[in-house]
Amino acid sequence: AATALSFSSFPYQPASASDASTTYASPVKAAKRSTAYLVDSTIPPTLIPYRAQREAAILKNLGMGSGTPKSPFIEDSINLNNFMNKAVFGSVDAVRGALGGVSDVVLGGGGGQRGGNDDARHPTFLFLGADFDDSYTADGNVYADAELAASLLSDVCKPKIREGKRGNTAIGLACVPKYCQDILDEYLRSGDDGDAERELLEGLRAKGISKNNDNDDSNSEYDLEIIRRHIPLLRFAKSKRYPLLGLGPDPADLATVSEGGLQSLSPEKREEYVVDARGFIELTQDPAFKLYTEKSLLKDFKIPRGNSVDGSGGKGGGGSNSKNDNEDVVVAEKQQQGNYFARRILYHEACATTTARWALSHGGDSESLMIAVAPIKDVRFLGGINGRVPRICNYLLANGGVGSDGVGNASGESNTASAGASGTVNMDDVTTILLNPSAKETLSESKFLRLEIGTSP
């Protein structure tokens, strides 16, 4: 038998044939990592790993309309936030019982799964945040995010209530403006060969959607190349007979706001994109939203190329470096930042409004499921498109303003508002999944993901 002294100083080095007298341990094997994690609402947040089997069960429950409870995940063996709970309540079991237990929190069975009237039918919203890039998290594959999205949705849409013929499930694309809806409808009616995707892209190009480059900041929300990278997801929607919806506002209107702010937009356009004007304005004064604006939304602000104002007076001019010139630079930059802020919140509000209208008007005899795909920056930290949906839904329900959502389903039919949801919609009805996120995409300055910015995970 080998003794401890007979082991090599490098115990995990494979033994060579010429060194038969030395005993080696088995080579190191990397641990099998989970592919999905829940970011819960404890302070600080906890990343809770899910194995493949548990992940599939959770996704299927989302398809059944379970939503995602936003109460903290209390499990003493996973997070260390319970030591204060022990001091206050005496034991972690008391806290766990008050919150309905681990399985209830994760899978949504009982235990305060949703707020409001449990008997009421609620629409369910699933936001997929993806940048469709070729970063290392996507293994250099520009289609990796779309393929992952299609794989996840295969589990989400397994329940029978998600059959395409029921007309209660749709996939919305924040990368496509609403006025291109006819192009998406034509794609769904086309065949399954490669010509369908080519004709889709050509149709969008004819509508004014082009490929962006580093010198063009005027149309950053819509990029033909990014849409092309959605193809695996588009094919999934066609195979399931799900409607594809363009969610975004007209790029010409976004350009108008970029130049002159929201006040430069016509009243008719503002009413089209912002149905809850009072809530839209009040949100900008909310302390949590102000923190989101500072810590997330404005982090992506860049002075548009060709409009930069330098310290030598004006745009590339040869003026003096006087105090007045410096003050003009500051004022100009603040105005550009303000217009950028207006553009972003209009884009978020318009996408959320289209999302809410479809979900409320296509419930049928069961809960509707609205799946929206958007860039990570527009759904992270629940401050973008996803965070606005409950407010808009409740406004539409309270004011009877659901009406027609302006888009059809895969069969060209349009359902009425009376077939939609009842009760109220809250944040538990909104689930957000980030696909292949990198630390940078979550605004982390380290190599680890950033889980919160002081508002909520």
Side-chain angles (χ1 to χ4, degrees):
T3 64
L5 294 177
S6 66
F7 279 91
S8 167
S9 300
F10 303 97
Y12 300 111
Q13 177 180 346
S16 63
S18 61
D19 194 14
S21 61
T22 305
T23 303
Y24 292 90
S26 300
V28 174
K29 293 183 179 179
K32 192 172 182 179
R33 298 183 60 185
S34 298
T35 57
Y37 298 83
L38 167 71
V39 182
D40 88 314
S41 299
T42 51
I43 300 175
T46 304
L47 269 180
I48 300 164
Y50 289 143
R51 294 182 178 179
Q53 185 176 3
R54 190 68 172 274
E55 175 189 338
I58 294 170
L59 293 173
K60 185 177 179 181
N61 273 273
L62 287 177
M64 295 291 292
S66 69
T68 306
K70 301 303 186 289
S71 54
F73 188 106
I74 304 297
E75 173 56 41
D76 198 37
S77 63
I78 294 180
N79 61 50
L80 301 178
N81 298 307
N82 300 317
F83 72 96
M84 285 302 296
N85 290 328
K86 287 182 177 180
V88 174
F89 297 101
S91 73
V92 71
D93 292 332
V95 183
R96 187 181 305 160
L99 292 176
V102 175
S103 60
D104 292 335
V105 172
V106 173
L107 296 181
Q113 167 191 340
R114 280 176 165 180
N117 181 5
D118 291 338
D119 296 328
R121 289 184 288 112
H122 295 264
T124 302
F125 301 91
L126 175 58
F127 285 85
L128 302 179
D131 287 345
F132 298 93
D133 54 19
D134 56 354
S135 63
Y136 73 94
T137 57
D139 290 332
N141 178 13
V142 295
Y143 295 105
D145 289 346
E147 290 169 354
L148 177 57
S151 173
L152 296 176
L153 293 181
S154 295
D155 286 326
V156 171
C157 300
K158 275 185 179 179
K160 287 186 177 180
I161 63 170
R162 298 300 160 212
E163 293 176 351
K165 63 182 180 181
R166 293 177 179 262
N168 60 7
T169 307
I171 298 177
L173 305 175
C175 63
V176 178
K178 284 181 62 177
Y179 76 84
C180 294
Q181 185 61 48
D182 59 326
I183 304 297
L184 295 176
D185 293 341
E186 181 63 30
Y187 169 74
L188 293 174
R189 291 191 293 266
S190 64
D192 295 329
D193 52 24
D195 290 339
E197 282 86 23
R198 179 179 53 80
E199 292 172 358
L200 169 69
L201 296 175
E202 289 179 352
L204 293 173
R205 185 183 291 109
K207 289 273 190 174
I209 307 301
S210 60
K211 181 178 178 180
N212 290 337
N213 55 62
D214 293 337
N215 297 317
D216 181 16
D217 297 306
S218 61
N219 192 25
S220 59
E221 288 82 6
Y222 310 119
D223 185 340
L224 198 63
E225 173 60 21
I226 295 299
I227 297 174
R228 183 181 69 84
R229 297 176 184 182
H230 281 66
I231 284 179
L233 185 58
L234 304 182
R235 291 173 178 170
F236 171 83
K238 179 184 284 190
S239 69
K240 299 290 288 186
R241 298 177 59 192
Y242 291 160
L244 284 170
L245 311 178
L247 302 180
D250 193 317
D253 294 331
L254 292 175
T256 298
V257 173
S258 290
E259 292 295 326
L262 286 171
Q263 65 274 12
S264 63
L265 204 60
S266 68
E268 294 78 15
K269 286 291 186 179
R270 288 200 296 266
E271 290 179 4
E272 176 185 350
Y273 298 138
V274 183
V275 294
D276 178 19
R278 181 175 180 178
F280 177 72
I281 295 172
E282 289 179 348
L283 178 64
T284 62
Q285 304 304 314
D286 182 80
F289 184 78
K290 288 183 177 180
L291 187 59
Y292 162 78
T293 299
E294 175 188 353
K295 299 290 187 180
S296 180
L297 190 148
L298 292 180
K299 291 295 185 181
D300 297 298
F301 168 69
K302 296 183 296 184
I303 296 177
R305 294 178 181 270
N307 290 330
S308 59
V309 182
D310 58 29
S312 57
K315 298 180 182 180
S320 64
N321 290 322
S322 65
K323 179 179 179 181
N324 289 337
D325 287 335
N326 292 333
E327 290 177 351
D328 290 341
V329 170
V330 173
V331 170
E333 289 182 352
K334 284 187 176 180
Q335 182 177 1
Q336 290 177 341
Q337 187 182 73
N339 290 344
Y340 172 83
F341 171 77
R343 176 182 181 129
R344 298 307 297 153
I345 62 174
L346 177 67
Y347 175 72
H348 290 168
E349 187 80 3
C351 290
T353 298
T354 306
T355 299
R357 278 178 164 163
W358 193 95
L360 293 177
S361 59
H362 288 75
D365 59 355
S366 60
E367 297 174 343
S368 59
L369 171 63
M370 181 64 191
I371 302 162
V373 185
I376 289 177
K377 68 179 181 180
D378 294 318
V379 296
R380 64 191 177 200
F381 307 120
L382 278 177
I385 303 170
N386 46 355
R388 295 169 179 266
V389 165
R391 168 180 57 82
I392 296 172
C393 283
N394 292 329
Y395 174 85
L396 292 172
L397 288 169
N399 292 275
V402 178
S404 173
D405 55 19
V407 293
N409 54 31
S411 61
E413 300 172 352
S414 178
N415 297 330
T416 61
S418 60
S422 58
T424 59
V425 178
N426 57 46
M427 279 298 184
D428 285 1
D429 300 308
V430 178
T431 301
T432 304
I433 301 177
L434 303 186
L435 307 181
N436 296 318
S438 66
K440 182 179 180 181
E441 289 166 341
T442 60
L443 304 177
S444 173
E445 295 183 1
S446 70
K447 63 180 181 179
F448 302 106
L449 298 179
R450 186 170 184 176
L451 306 182
E452 54 85 28
I453 54 174
T455 52
S456 63

